[in-house]
Amino acid sequence: WTLPALESLGVVYRAPVSFSGSPPFRETFDLIHSTAVLEHLPVDAAPLIVSNLRTAMRPGATALHTIHLEDHRDFRNAPFAFLAWDTDWRPRDADSRGNRLRASDWIRMMRADPRTEVETLWSLVREEAPLPARRDPRFMGHDETDLRTGSVLLAVRATG
């Protein structure tokens, strides 16, 4: 695929696009795609950016987001170390280690707009990976499967 070939089919590629500002956006989109991006957002910025992503979607549009939910420091051996009560993770580490938001947190933010449907297309649950014995109290309401989810692919559809 080349950009001219895509444009001949009516597909116009726009990247990068920042969703961190305030809407309204000059453009709206039929498809938004991100891979390994959302987990690097600062936790306090995530709700606004997710809302802005939805605002930028035309009715009937789809957004596909692949989100890596593991501690990037050592995702092979200790993918959930940053969920520990005594972790050295700090909010400023969101870019380098991930923001610690779990799949359920992302789904909840994306479903906040009643004109949005969210479907999990794929998830990787790391049954073999150790969870911290004592978790940060922020994660006490999350079930074990949610805590063990290492990656997820979400489809967000704008219904109206």
Side-chain angles (χ1 to χ4, degrees):
W1 297 102
T2 64
L3 293 180
L6 289 171
E7 285 192 32
S8 75
L9 298 171
V11 176
V12 179
Y13 179 77
R14 299 279 188 252
V17 176
S18 174
F19 294 99
S20 61
S22 298
F25 298 100
R26 282 183 238 152
E27 294 184 89
T28 56
F29 303 91
D30 294 310
L31 175 67
I32 296 172
H33 176 259
S34 71
T35 298
V37 172
L38 297 180
E39 70 267 17
H40 296 287
L41 299 177
V43 173
D44 58 349
L48 173 65
I49 292 172
V50 167
S51 176
N52 287 346
L53 284 164
R54 173 55 183 91
T55 299
M57 294 170 70
R58 292 182 185 130
T62 299
L64 298 170
H65 301 291
T66 304
I67 309 168
H68 183 204
L69 302 168
E70 298 171 335
D71 188 338
H72 294 27
R73 178 186 287 168
D74 186 4
F75 59 85
R76 285 186 176 82
N77 300 307
F80 306 116
F82 65 175
L83 303 178
W85 172 77
D86 58 351
T87 184
D88 62 344
W89 182 92
R90 298 295 174 262
R92 67 180 177 273
D93 296 327
D95 190 41
S96 62
R97 293 181 68 187
N99 57 26
R100 302 195 316 166
L101 292 170
R102 310 316 307 145
S104 64
D105 299 321
W106 289 109
I107 292 167
R108 185 176 53 259
M109 278 188 278
M110 292 175 185
R111 285 186 175 152
D113 186 322
R115 301 165 302 152
T116 303
E117 295 175 353
V118 180
E119 179 183 359
T120 301
L121 299 180
W122 172 85
S123 66
L124 172 67
V125 178
R126 300 279 309 270
E127 296 290 343
E128 83 294 350
L131 283 175
R134 290 186 62 201
R135 290 183 281 283
D136 186 308
R138 180 198 179 302
F139 303 106
M140 293 305 171
H142 293 73
D143 67 32
E144 187 167 333
T145 299
D146 196 23
L147 293 172
R148 290 184 175 281
T149 300
S151 296
V152 65
L153 172 58
L154 301 177
V156 182
R157 294 182 182 88
T159 59

